[in-house]
Amino acid sequence: MTRHYAYYLYLLLLLCLTACQQEDTNPDINIDISDELQIELWEVLDESQRMLELRVTTLETLDCENYSISYTLNQTGNSSTVSINNILPPHECIPGSAPASNQINLGHFQDGEYPIQLNLTNNEITNTGRLTVKPRYYQLEMESNHGIFIPWKTLKTVPENLVWGYLTIDDVNTDEQNAILEEFNNRIAPWTEVIGLSQGEYAYFKIENGNPAAIKDQQETITQNIFLLEQTGTRVELTEALNNIRSEFGDQVSVSAFLSDGSTI
């Protein structure tokens, strides 16, 4: 993003004025907000109806792990207006450093194009754009990006009947780890098939050259011992295969596995 000194000076002045106006009414809220916020499209998986979320984080890390961000959401007809307002300090600090964050549920969208605004400080700073929803992807195109950073404008939708995840393997050498991975693949092979997906960002994983490059689990991004497959067996069959692996290797191996309906096994 191109940075303009005059704009950020204006933004800083505006935020300071806003802080002064509201500090007396609510001493529990810190009205200081970072110059830049990262906004990611996120698909919320559900068995009946999928939702679209905006995941907002400050680019700056703060001195507790549980700062949050306040916002307002106004949806009228097909139009959505989001105003990202204040950083909220926690009542009890979790020691550590992390960005402030929040999740904004925009709801379910049919295929089509929707006007959207991603604004700052009670709509004082306006960013107008368009949200496009298609069966295979969501796309967010902004006419301006004052104070916000959008790492990717296209989010691919998660296909049905997928299983993905990762293995955490402790205290083994390379040969033992390879043997565990081979045994894992053999156990789930009867209930899965290899699948190739188009390259890009999905909410829960990233695909490069037809293969999973990373699995996203809460605040972590995992790149080692990951898998992404098409589910061909029943949930019961797949669960039994994974539980057998867990039982056989005990504390040496943990398996995190996720399904397209939003559940875990």
Side-chain angles (χ1 to χ4, degrees):
M1 183 193 313
T2 304
R3 298 172 180 268
H4 299 287
Y5 176 80
Y7 162 71
Y8 285 111
L9 184 60
Y10 164 75
L11 178 59
L12 179 61
L13 177 61
L14 178 64
L15 293 175
C16 289
L17 289 174
T18 305
C20 293
Q21 291 170 358
Q22 298 189 21
E23 186 176 8
D24 293 338
T25 60
N26 193 342
D28 293 330
I29 296 180
N30 177 5
I31 310 298
D32 188 18
I33 196 165
S34 174
D35 284 348
E36 293 186 4
L37 301 167
Q38 178 167 292
I39 300 179
E40 297 180 12
L41 288 173
W42 191 269
E43 184 181 33
V44 180
L45 301 177
D46 187 84
E47 188 174 358
S48 57
Q49 189 176 71
R50 298 186 180 189
M51 303 290 182
L52 184 63
E53 239 180 32
L54 298 178
R55 296 204 162 184
V56 183
T57 58
T58 57
L59 294 183
E60 177 187 1
T61 58
L62 303 176
D63 56 1
C64 297
E65 293 185 358
N66 53 332
Y67 277 89
S68 63
I69 300 173
S70 73
Y71 67 90
T72 56
L73 171 62
N74 182 24
Q75 292 178 300
T76 304
N78 289 333
S79 178
S80 299
T81 299
V82 178
S83 182
I84 303 164
N85 299 323
N86 310 312
I87 293 177
L88 304 179
H91 291 293
E92 293 187 12
C93 174
I94 298 176
S97 61
S101 64
N102 211 338
Q103 301 167 7
I104 303 172
N105 190 339
L106 298 181
H108 174 74
F109 290 85
Q110 301 290 340
D111 293 357
E113 294 187 353
Y114 302 88
I116 190 169
Q117 290 187 21
L118 303 179
N119 303 334
L120 299 179
T121 60
N122 298 300
N123 297 305
E124 293 287 347
I125 300 171
T126 301
N127 294 296
T128 301
R130 181 177 70 253
L131 172 67
T132 301
V133 179
K134 297 290 185 182
R136 295 186 178 180
Y137 66 87
Y138 305 92
Q139 189 171 75
L140 182 60
E141 295 181 293
M142 302 302 298
E143 297 175 7
S144 63
N145 57 355
H146 303 310
I148 62 175
F149 169 64
I150 300 174
W152 52 81
K153 70 176 185 179
T154 301
L155 180 74
K156 303 289 186 70
T157 56
V158 175
E160 299 289 350
N161 301 317
L162 285 188
V163 55
W164 67 90
Y166 57 94
L167 283 70
T168 303
I169 305 173
D170 296 326
D171 299 326
V172 297
N173 59 40
T174 301
D175 289 340
E176 291 174 319
Q177 177 169 296
N178 290 337
I180 291 171
L181 293 174
E182 182 177 1
E183 184 65 19
F184 171 81
N185 291 331
N186 291 337
R187 294 290 184 88
I188 66 171
W191 323 119
T192 60
E193 289 182 357
V194 175
I195 185 172
L197 299 180
S198 60
Q199 180 165 306
E201 295 284 347
Y202 298 72
Y204 303 88
F205 46 84
K206 181 177 183 178
I207 300 295
E208 293 181 351
N209 301 319
N211 297 309
I215 301 293
K216 307 169 192 176
D217 183 13
Q218 298 182 25
Q219 301 300 318
E220 291 188 273
T221 299
I222 298 96
T223 58
Q224 300 294 320
N225 303 329
I226 63 179
F227 60 92
L228 188 150
L229 300 160
E230 182 180 6
Q231 179 187 345
T232 57
T234 67
R235 181 190 180 96
V236 172
E237 291 167 333
L238 191 57
T239 300
E240 184 177 359
L242 294 176
N243 286 341
N244 287 340
I245 288 285
R246 293 171 176 130
S247 297
E248 180 173 341
F249 291 99
D251 294 338
Q252 264 189 323
V253 177
S254 64
V255 182
S256 300
F258 312 92
L259 299 178
S260 297
D261 63 2
S263 62
T264 61
I265 55 175

